[in-house]
Amino acid sequence: MPKWLNDAVFYEIYPQSFLDTNGDGIGDLEGIIQKLDYVKSLGCNALWLNPIYDSPFKDAGYDVRDYKKVAPRYGTNDDLVRLFDEAHKKGIKVLLDLVPGHTSEEHEWFKKSCEADKNEFSNRYIWTNGAFCGIAGHPYIGGEAERDGCYMLNFFKCQPALNYGVLNRTEPWQMATDDPDCIATREAMKDIMRFWLSKGCDGFRVDMADSLVKEDDEVKSATGKIWENIRQMLDEEFPEAALVSEWSNPECALKYGFHADFYLDHHGNGYNVLFRDGETEGGDHSYFKKDSNESPMRFLADYQHKYDNSKEYGHISFISCNHDTPRLTKTMDVSELKIGYAFLYTMPGVPFLYYGDEIGMKYLDKVKTKEGGFQRTGSRSPMQWDDKAANFGFSTASADKLYIPVDDSKDAPSVASAENDPDSLIHMVRSIIALRHEYTDLQADSDFEVLYAKENERLLVYRRGSLVISVNPGEAEVKVSKKDLAGVPSDFKGDLIYGIGSADLNGDELVLGKQSFAIFE
Ligand code: NOJ
């Protein structure tokens, strides 16, 4: 486990939309370099960049045409190396996005794989043995290639599935996971990882990490073996490199070698019921909605076993949002977000902040889809740096040339206006992240224990190391006797080291005002 992860707080940058320095309407690597001090000012000491590789951009770069070449719209490979170097000088690590499950249909491997004559890449993708032989249970394409076969898709039509083999084989064209051609796919991914790691990259966020071997078993053991093998390579050759999975099943992902696994928004899971449970009947039931009246029990029922069963292997990563999910401002106001963020950044594991969430950027539900974004496009709009500058200071291009239009609402937030408002989200985000760096008890691997949580009650009290943290997202004051807080010694000092709203633990009771959050030592 790379030690630096224990105190890491990541900032996710969607490169298209961060800062455009050459006036073409789209963000670039130079823009990220220029804003490293800003990232640092938030307390973030690591970046995750969405794919920056050469691509036809039918899925915003998750359709890779050349894994070893930076897309010209972002700059050059040398610019990326410069970004690694400049970031390192400021104590910031940089993760790239590895897309191992599929490539673009324009990747050279795929073009070769489509040829009728057998070659080195014929089995790099999953093909059937006839143009009229489809694939049950998976999307596939036939009739497009010279080759007499259909190929499997991994996501959109532009993303043919790479071949790591099939575990439970029922068809003659399915290949075993230990077939030399399937092993070659794995080795090709390792080669790409080595290429960037040796240039200064600090690791990878791994796209659809559970999607490698097809017809895998329930716990994805065959896909897991591939990650174990890759992790072994990292441990031997790049022991400081971090591997973070898009899997959202830490009980599998962390055992197979990932250092951290995202807790993603899946309807009804623990993360969803905290922030995003707006689709259930009868209003928004999210715990952090001030008027939801929900207890933390639904969250804990999902989270606790995930934490208990995976903590010895790695970390769960809480996110404020990501490029696939509606921004939290769609349903939460700033008072709700402050309590929610305070919780997110004091939980165990390695947390992530999505660009713009520190100022409460909005989800733009009216923007037209861009590069396969569809409803995700609303969370991918240009960063709002300065409300006094054209395009919020994102780009000097004319508004119609911007990658995605900027938020044109009257109350659109910006970094400049947030900096001038002492009550704005950005200051709260900075203060909680600063505290996390100051107290090792708040960092990734210090213990987590629930001290108080009950059905039909709003209060959540938990311990991180020797600190006691309490949350009341509701609109009414809550009180609990100190002796009902399991595990808090009677002589616990109860000095407040961080507070939102009113909170007191000095007497025999814990008293929390409406919408409050407090850390006691
Ligand atoms: C998950 C990524 O986060 C998403 O943006 C992408 O479209 C799919 N994987 C396919 O790569």
Side-chain angles (χ1 to χ4, degrees), residues 12 14 48 50-51 59-63 97 99 102 154-156 159 205 207-208 246 322-324 372 376 380:
E12 178 190 348
Y14 186 73
W48 155 32
N50 293 110
D59 183 17
Y62 283 96
D63 47 330
D97 209 318
V99 189
H102 47 266
N154 213 37
F155 197 68
F156 285 155
Q159 290 154 318
R205 172 269 187 185
D207 186 71
M208 295 173 66
E246 186 199 27
N322 69 19
H323 61 290
D324 291 333
R376 305 178 296 181
R380 299 175 175 184

